């Protein structure tokens, strides 16, 4: 087995209808410029428009690199804890057992497809959403399932994970927004501090 390099990117900022804003387009261009320095083999994206459009912008700056949809990258809640801390109670309000099970199935499919070594060395970009990014990082660190909560991810932030046969995955970079100017560095979740 060879090394698989995943470059996981959250989509650019989007409006309430899921379409990229001007800031989101600029964020996508800037992360594309950063990724253009790497030997990228393929760009995978969620079927949702904000991720598909971000991936299209990235693909425009990576000539010859195929851009493909992967259903496993869709925005979803990967795990609903048995006991929810009071700070998260409102977030999970209304999730029933069927929805939780559906989210867990998508999370399992995401890990099965992408979180493992490949037969040959690959460099893949995954354009997805905050929760799948958090789930992949949690999985790579072998952290408890509920630990995906609180792993916030900025728009167009870069996370790099390396998978090699026989050793634990390595999280090389998490939520790196160094390619973005300060006014474009944020999570999209409330006003918060912009680093």
């Amino acid at each position: 087995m060879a090394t698989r390099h995943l470059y996981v990117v959250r989509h650019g900022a989007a409006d309430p209808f899921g379409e990229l804003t001007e800031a989101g387009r600029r964020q996508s261009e800037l992360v594309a410029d950063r990724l253009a320095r790497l030997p990228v083999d393929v760009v995978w994206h969620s079927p949702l428009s904000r991720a598909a459009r971000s991936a299209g912008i990235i693909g425009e700056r990576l000539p010859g690199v195929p851009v493909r949809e992967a259903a496993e990258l869709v925005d979803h809640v990967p795990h609903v804890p048995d006991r929810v801390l009071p700070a998260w109670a409102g977030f999970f309000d209304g999730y029933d057992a069927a929805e939780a099970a559906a989210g867990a199935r998508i999370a399992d499919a995401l890990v099965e497809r992408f979180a493992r070594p490949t037969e040959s060395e690959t460099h893949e970009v995954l354009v997805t959403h905050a929760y799948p990014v958090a789930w992949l990082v949690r999985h790579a660190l072998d952290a408890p399932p509920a630990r995906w909560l609180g792993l916030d991810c900025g728009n167009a932030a870069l996370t790099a994970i390396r998978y090699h046969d026989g050793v634990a995955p390595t999280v090389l970079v998490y939520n790196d927004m160094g390619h973005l100017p300060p006014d474009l560095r944020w999570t999209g979740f409330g006003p918060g501090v912009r680093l």
Side-chain angles (χ1 to χ4, degrees):
M1 301 265 273
T3 303
R4 181 180 215 168
H5 305 268
L6 290 186
Y7 307 103
V8 190
V9 175
R10 183 176 174 212
H11 61 80
D15 66 23
F17 303 102
E19 298 304 320
L20 287 186
T21 62
E22 184 56 40
R25 286 187 285 280
R26 185 68 185 131
Q27 289 167 329
S28 299
E29 291 168 352
L30 291 167
V31 75
D33 291 344
R34 183 171 181 183
L35 292 166
R37 296 177 246 167
L38 301 170
V40 175
D41 298 305
V42 62
V43 176
W44 297 101
H45 65 83
S46 157
L48 299 180
S49 63
R50 57 195 182 269
R53 184 64 187 120
S54 293
I57 292 168
I58 292 168
E60 290 168 5
R61 294 182 182 237
L62 302 175
V65 175
V67 177
R68 298 186 177 129
E69 184 177 300
E72 299 87 350
L73 295 171
V74 73
D75 198 6
H76 69 283
V77 171
H79 174 76
V80 177
D82 293 331
R83 292 184 341 180
V84 177
L85 296 173
W88 290 98
F91 179 79
F92 290 111
D93 189 33
Y95 272 89
D96 62 23
E99 289 171 310
R105 283 192 298 276
I106 296 168
D108 290 344
L110 172 67
V111 166
E112 177 62 28
R113 182 165 183 186
F114 292 109
R116 59 184 174 79
T118 49
E119 294 297 324
S120 60
E121 179 132 351
T122 61
H123 294 262
E124 300 167 74
V125 174
L126 310 183
V127 183
T128 187
H129 309 272
Y131 303 157
V133 173
W135 190 253
L136 287 169
V137 169
R138 181 228 52 91
H139 179 268
L141 296 174
D142 198 24
R147 191 59 193 100
W148 76 273
L149 293 165
L151 289 173
D152 293 340
C153 182
N155 291 112
L158 178 64
T159 294
I161 306 171
R162 182 177 59 215
Y163 298 90
H164 190 75
D165 194 38
V167 297
T170 304
V171 177
L172 302 168
V173 172
Y174 172 67
N175 198 37
D176 186 338
M177 294 182 270
H179 49 280
L180 301 174
D183 63 317
L184 293 180
R185 295 179 194 166
W186 73 303
T187 64
F189 299 116
V193 175
R194 294 187 186 210
L195 303 172

